[in-house]
Amino acid sequence: MHTPLTKLLAIQHPIIQAPLGSATTPELAAAVSNAGGLGMLALSWADPAQTRAQIRRTKALTDRPFGVNLVLAWDQRARVAVCADEGVAVVSFCWGDAAPFLAPLRAQGIAVCHTVGSADEAARCADQGVDFLVAQGWEAGGHVGGRVATSVLVPAVADRVALPVVAAGGIADGRGIVAALSLGAAGVWMGTRFLLAREAATSAVYRDAVARATENDTVYAPDLFHLGWEQAPHRVLRNSTVAAWERAGSPPPGRRPGEGQVLAHRADGSPVVRYSDDTPLAATTGDLEALALYAGQSAGLVHRIAGAADIVQDLVRQTEAVLARLTPLIQP
Ligand SMILES: Cc1cc2nc3c(=O)[nH]c(=O)nc-3n(C[C@H](O)[C@H](O)[C@H](O)COP(=O)(O)O)c2cc1C
């Protein structure tokens, strides 16, 4: 498959493994890039030394392009400097103003993208000079900036800007990839599917919950798992914490059931309380089911835990099969 995105990034398939907070690993990003897609590290909260170490570890595992995602709700100046210094292929931003970082990164030949939730936001980012855009629909897992479904957002953004647009939210298989391309996307950005990659740092409890979920099992919450990242709407699986909050009438922070309860501990021994924005990682211990299980509606479509390369190859095969099935429909 050749699209403006594969050309821009020098990748084989227009498939990007979305940043997944602390669940991304060098092993995950490198496996996706080695399979011909683009792997992404999510390093928003890593200190500069860890940022450099994770980039170098990924470089040791692949000589293909890969990217780094930085959420602009935090000060990213030091991490951007490390990315520029290390010369990663792509830096992706979201939740803030990337303007101060564009010139220095692009001067190093680094492609810059921004995640958007509306055509107006896309136009603003395009005017600033990003190289491509990620249009993230409301059905996406994790933190979600907009309120528009992918099926409407992608063509609205593609109509508005002349840049390559990458579709995010609800895309889990070859059918979704073909649909995204037909909506005007030059590629896809898939998060929930890669939560089930063996190389991701997700805990087994989390993976199994995603694998078992149906398309009805996620909840969009404006301010539920808010400790650590306030007023950032998100989509999670409905678990015991969400169900108890819903039974209590979905009260605002300060009146939710079980606030302050310690549910789990991180690898460094620090406590994770109920409503923290932490997601359960392989190294987290405790009541993992009750933590924030970020996932998109496409959890209802993904059931198989597999290696990341296997996932990419499967997606490519499925996409080709869908295209082969559709082609006869348009032949006379
Ligand atoms: C567990 C999890 C963590 C995420 N962390 C980030 C992040 O750190 N930065 C970011 O830009 N997007 C993050 N996202 C959003 C994804 O990049 C992507 O937009 C989304 O997963 C796409 O929708 P899908 O889940 O339906 O594939 C996260 C998503 C999930 C599920």
Side-chain angles (χ1 to χ4, degrees), residues 97-325:
D97 183 7
F101 303 125
L102 293 180
L105 289 171
R106 296 191 73 218
Q108 298 291 323
I110 296 172
V112 180
C113 73
H114 205 290
T115 299
V116 300
S118 72
D120 282 350
E121 195 184 358
R124 272 197 305 277
C125 293
D127 287 347
Q128 287 178 341
V130 299
D131 295 282
F132 68 101
L133 291 162
V134 178
Q136 188 204 38
W138 193 66
E139 53 272 67
H143 291 86
V144 185
R147 297 290 293 252
V148 179
T150 303
S151 56
V152 172
L153 181 67
V154 171
V157 171
D159 282 349
R160 192 75 176 273
V161 299
L163 299 173
V165 177
V166 178
I171 300 158
D173 57 27
R175 296 169 297 184
I177 293 175
V178 173
L181 296 176
S182 77
L183 291 170
V188 295
W189 175 276
M190 299 172 60
T192 297
R193 180 66 192 98
F194 285 101
L195 286 174
L196 297 197
R198 287 210 179 87
E199 295 87 344
T202 36
S203 75
V205 168
Y206 185 10
R207 269 185 217 180
D208 290 345
V210 174
R212 276 197 316 270
T214 75
E215 74 283 6
N216 273 309
D217 289 342
T218 70
V219 175
Y220 170 87
D223 200 14
L224 180 59
F225 290 98
H226 78 135
L227 294 170
W229 190 355
E230 287 179 25
Q231 295 184 350
H234 42 270
R235 186 175 293 283
V236 288
L237 291 183
R238 182 178 287 103
N239 61 358
S240 54
T241 296
V242 177
W245 171 71
E246 288 177 329
R247 278 197 305 276
S250 306
R255 301 215 314 265
R256 295 161 305 178
E259 288 189 354
Q261 270 174 359
V262 173
L263 294 176
H265 290 86
R266 302 181 187 94
D268 65 2
S270 58
V272 184
V273 297
R274 202 184 289 280
Y275 305 113
S276 160
D277 68 350
D278 282 59
T279 204
L281 301 176
T284 316
T285 54
D287 184 3
L288 306 188
E289 182 277 337
L291 302 185
L293 305 178
Y294 300 109
Q297 292 179 341
S298 67
L301 302 175
V302 304
H303 307 295
R304 192 171 70 92
I305 296 166
D310 184 357
I311 292 175
V312 174
Q313 285 150 11
D314 211 23
L315 291 169
V316 172
R317 271 195 300 271
Q318 291 169 2
T319 303
E320 288 168 351
V322 174
L323 288 172
R325 187 155 50 77

Side-chain angles (χ1 to χ4, degrees), residues 30-76:
V32 171
S33 291
N34 283 333
L38 184 85
M40 295 286 303
L41 298 169
L43 297 178
S44 295
W45 308 276
D47 67 32
Q50 290 167 337
T51 303
R52 196 178 294 279
Q54 290 227 32
I55 292 170
R56 290 200 172 164
R57 169 88 182 129
T58 311
K59 281 183 180 172
L61 297 171
T62 183
D63 52 13
R64 304 270 182 100
F66 66 91
V68 171
N69 167 260
L70 299 171
V71 180
L72 293 166
W74 286 267
D75 180 354
Q76 298 296 358

